[in-house]
Amino acid sequence: MVNYLKESYNELRNHVTWTPWSEAQRLTVIVAAFSVILALAVWGIDTVFSKVISYYFDLIK
């Protein structure tokens, strides 16, 4: 187990190409912005469908 942890640490430290910090920050902001936009789109669609379904059920009462 100790050997596995040492080899894993060595792999992460010496053989993995990490994204530069500035690019990681920029990509994080882009992902967050698109997540908010997608959440607002889903909320809007849900609101419209909810109103349509409520209207439909009011009609068949």
Side-chain angles (χ1 to χ4, degrees):
M1 183 70 170
V2 172
N3 188 37
Y4 171 75
L5 292 174
K6 285 180 183 179
E7 288 177 6
S8 296
Y9 177 78
N10 183 40
E11 183 76 22
L12 286 171
R13 194 78 174 134
N14 299 316
H15 300 289
V16 174
T17 304
W18 296 99
T19 304
W21 183 245
S22 60
E23 186 178 355
Q25 286 178 321
R26 183 180 61 84
L27 293 174
T28 301
V29 169
I30 291 170
V31 168
F34 277 107
S35 296
V36 169
I37 291 168
L38 182 62
L40 290 172
V42 169
W43 172 76
I45 292 168
D46 181 56
T47 301
V48 169
F49 281 136
S50 177
K51 290 184 188 283
V52 169
I53 290 171
S54 293
Y55 179 72
Y56 172 75
F57 281 118
D58 285 342
L59 284 177
I60 63 171
K61 264 189 193 176

